[in-house]
């Protein structure tokens, strides 16, 4: 299958419109229709019902294959371009919101001291977007975070030839909940005015029926909670698609649900308490993501050395 035809098909399917796909790709609407017709001829099956544009069962299956294939092609092209590129005098760093730890900030300061005229850009993105950006060479380096058993690596999306390594020490996780929540009183929570008596916290499996805030780019994602305990539940009362931890903590304080976060994040937040988990043993981990030889030269290499990745 011709990747150009696949790319046109994916754009039409995503927009549900031949004209919108033509605008996105810079083609005429007639050319888009010809691309889809050529793909239909190659596959031997009709695609994208017309008037209105509606997906077929074949479309859905083709999309499952097409999007990862196109992402892989973009990553391969970017990898080859890196081989021919000069050592970068810039650093475009993509970071998940909670991957910007004090250690990372100190490493960026060290890079700027060493190369004061180098251009440094930090983009705060969702976790999956960081990995995709590195694979496609939109980012020189990435920083992702997540929960893992102590010393275990994070599981990254399979989007191309990227590698990851740990950054600094792993950090404890804690349950963030309203300061007046019964669990906060029962387990001697740390609150905005200091640390409680440190009583043993609850087991994560015992909280499967509680309401949670689904904040996949900040808190530990709910599917990971289910996987860690083997328990169903962990229902989302509210979904939070932002990358601002302050907005998430405001929802926690207002009683919309619980969230599992690095212990430092809720510290000092008004009306939010933290409780450690008794089990399972999970820690917050940050990893640097890179692809190709460019990360071994220039400002990216200085940053990796400074952060210890």
């Amino acid at each position: 299958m011709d990747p150009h035809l696949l790319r046109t098909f994916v754009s039409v399917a995503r927009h549900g419109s031949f004209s919108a796909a033509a605008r996105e790709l810079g083609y005429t609407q007639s050319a888009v229709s010809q691309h889809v017709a050529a793909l239909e001829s190659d596959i031997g099956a009709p695609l994208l019902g017309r008037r209105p544009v509606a997906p077929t069962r074949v479309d859905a299956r083709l999309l499952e294959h097409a999007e990862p294939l196109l992402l892989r092609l973009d990553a391969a092209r970017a990898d080859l371009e890196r081989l021919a590129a000069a050592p970068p005098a810039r650093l475009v760093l993509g970071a998940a919101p909670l991957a910007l730890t004090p250690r990372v900030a100190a490493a960026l300061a060290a890079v700027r001291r060493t190369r004061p005229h180098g251009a440094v850009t930090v983009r705060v993105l969702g976790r999956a977007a960081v990995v995709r950006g590195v694979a496609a060479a939109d980012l020189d380096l990435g920083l992702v975070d997540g929960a893992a058993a102590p010393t275990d690596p994070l599981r990254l999306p399979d989007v191309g030839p990227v590698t990851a390594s740990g950054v600094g020490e792993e950090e404890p996780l804690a349950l963030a909940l309203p300061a007046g929540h019964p669990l906060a009183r029962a387990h001697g929570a740390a609150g905005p005015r200091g640390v409680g008596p440190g009583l043993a916290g609850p087991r994560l499996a015992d909280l499967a029926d509680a309401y949670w805030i689904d904040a996949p780019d900040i808190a530990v994602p709910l599917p990971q909670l289910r996987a860690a305990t083997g328990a169903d539940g962990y229902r989302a009362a509210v979904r939070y698609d932002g990358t601002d931890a302050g907005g998430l903590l405001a929802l926690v304080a207002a009683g919309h649900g619980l969230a599992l976060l690095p212990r430092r994040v809720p510290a000092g937040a008004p009306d939010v308490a933290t409780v450690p988990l008794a089990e399972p043993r999970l820690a917050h981990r940050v990893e640097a993501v890179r692809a190709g030889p460019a990360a071994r030269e220039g400002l990216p290499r200085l940053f990796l050395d400074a952060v210890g990745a």
Side-chain angles (χ1 to χ4, degrees), residues 210-215 222 226 233-239 256:
Y211 284 109
W212 292 78
I213 298 175
D214 185 14
L222 301 189
R226 298 185 192 103
Y234 305 100
R235 294 167 293 174
V238 174
R239 181 177 172 91
H256 290 286

Side-chain angles (χ1 to χ4, degrees), residues 191-299:
R193 295 180 179 81
V195 178
L199 303 179
R203 299 187 315 137
L204 182 59
D206 293 337
L207 303 175
D209 292 331
Y211 284 109
W212 292 78
I213 298 175
D214 185 14
D217 285 322
I218 303 179
V220 179
L222 301 189
Q224 192 169 354
L225 300 185
R226 298 185 192 103
T229 60
D232 293 328
Y234 305 100
R235 294 167 293 174
V238 174
R239 181 177 172 91
Y240 181 71
D241 283 329
T243 55
D244 173 25
L248 171 60
L249 293 174
L251 292 174
V252 171
H256 290 286
L258 312 179
L260 192 59
L261 294 162
R263 190 170 58 191
R264 65 181 165 84
V265 175
D271 302 318
V272 176
T274 58
V275 170
L277 290 176
E279 61 178 57
R281 293 185 62 207
L282 294 174
H284 181 252
R285 179 177 173 85
V286 177
E287 292 184 355
V289 182
R290 56 191 181 277
R296 295 194 291 269
E297 301 175 331
L299 265 63

Side-chain angles (χ1 to χ4, degrees), residues 72-126:
R72 278 280 189 172
L73 284 172
D74 291 340
R77 181 180 293 108
D79 198 34
L80 294 175
E81 289 173 351
R82 290 187 189 100
L83 288 172
R90 60 156 206 185
L91 170 60
V92 180
L93 178 67
L98 301 190
L100 290 171
T101 63
R103 183 186 184 96
V104 169
L108 286 171
V111 169
R112 296 188 63 246
R113 285 194 301 270
T114 304
R115 298 280 182 86
H117 300 296
V120 176
T121 301
V122 178
R123 296 177 185 166
V124 178
L125 303 166

